[in-house]
Amino acid sequence: MNDHEQQPAPRRGKVLEALARAERQVFTRSAPKSAKAQMKFLLTRAKGSTKALAERLGVSRRTAGRYRAGTLTTPQKRLRAALVEETESEWQQQVRAQVHAAAATSRGMMVDVTAFFGFTCKGSSDDGRERQVTTEISPT
């Protein structure tokens, strides 16, 4: 890619990841860190069903049970990522709902975007370059 070609726009997944990071900043308590604590928390959310939890994480029921019991302690990368993602998606949903309600009714939200602006004239001051744009979005 040469200097004058426009860079691709960020994917929707990156925007959703940024929103998830912003949500995590408002948590009042940190999410469980160990595999055993994460399994225990997710199992309570799954109403005690190891089958549902195992399907959700992509592991067997016995593996889920071993992590819950503490027999296994160090998950492989794929399972570790699934545990973190699922735990954080379920963690403090009431706090998350309060933040969403406040942003939708009174405060709005601040959006910070890095974008590529400009023309493709060679050697001009209008040459395309990355810019950071920060704007406030009202709730209406």
Side-chain angles (χ1 to χ4, degrees), residues 19 22 102-104 106-112 135-139:
L19 288 173
S106 62
R107 290 187 302 195
M109 63 191 297
M110 185 69 74
V111 176
D112 188 28
T135 185
E136 188 173 330
I137 299 176
S138 71

Side-chain angles (χ1 to χ4, degrees), residues 39 43 46-57 59-66 68:
M39 281 289 187
L43 197 59
K47 298 179 180 153
S49 172
T50 54
K51 181 179 179 184
L53 179 59
E55 287 176 5
R56 191 170 164 185
L57 296 173
V59 295
S60 69
R61 290 177 74 173
R62 289 190 63 171
T63 301
R66 288 178 181 137
R68 184 192 61 189

Side-chain angles (χ1 to χ4, degrees), residues 6-71:
Q6 198 170 19
Q7 296 176 351
R11 295 187 179 130
R12 183 174 184 221
K14 289 185 179 183
V15 173
L16 294 176
E17 287 173 14
L19 288 173
R21 278 194 311 271
E23 285 178 341
R24 274 181 257 157
Q25 291 178 350
V26 299
F27 289 159
T28 56
R29 294 181 304 151
S30 59
K33 301 288 184 215
S34 71
K36 181 179 179 178
Q38 289 171 336
M39 281 289 187
K40 184 178 176 184
F41 169 73
L42 290 173
L43 197 59
T44 60
R45 289 295 185 166
K47 298 179 180 153
S49 172
T50 54
K51 181 179 179 184
L53 179 59
E55 287 176 5
R56 191 170 164 185
L57 296 173
V59 295
S60 69
R61 290 177 74 173
R62 289 190 63 171
T63 301
R66 288 178 181 137
Y67 279 105
R68 184 192 61 189
T71 308

Side-chain angles (χ1 to χ4, degrees), residues 1 21 31 47 55 59 68-69 85 95 98 105 114 118 123 126 136:
M1 174 184 280
R21 278 194 311 271
K47 298 179 180 153
E55 287 176 5
V59 295
R68 184 192 61 189
E85 181 181 336
V95 172
Q98 290 170 353
T105 57
T114 303
D126 292 333
E136 188 173 330

Side-chain angles (χ1 to χ4, degrees), residues 65-80:
R66 288 178 181 137
Y67 279 105
R68 184 192 61 189
T71 308
L72 295 176
T73 57
T74 309
Q76 294 177 352
K77 287 182 182 181
R78 184 185 56 79
L79 179 57
R80 185 178 328 131

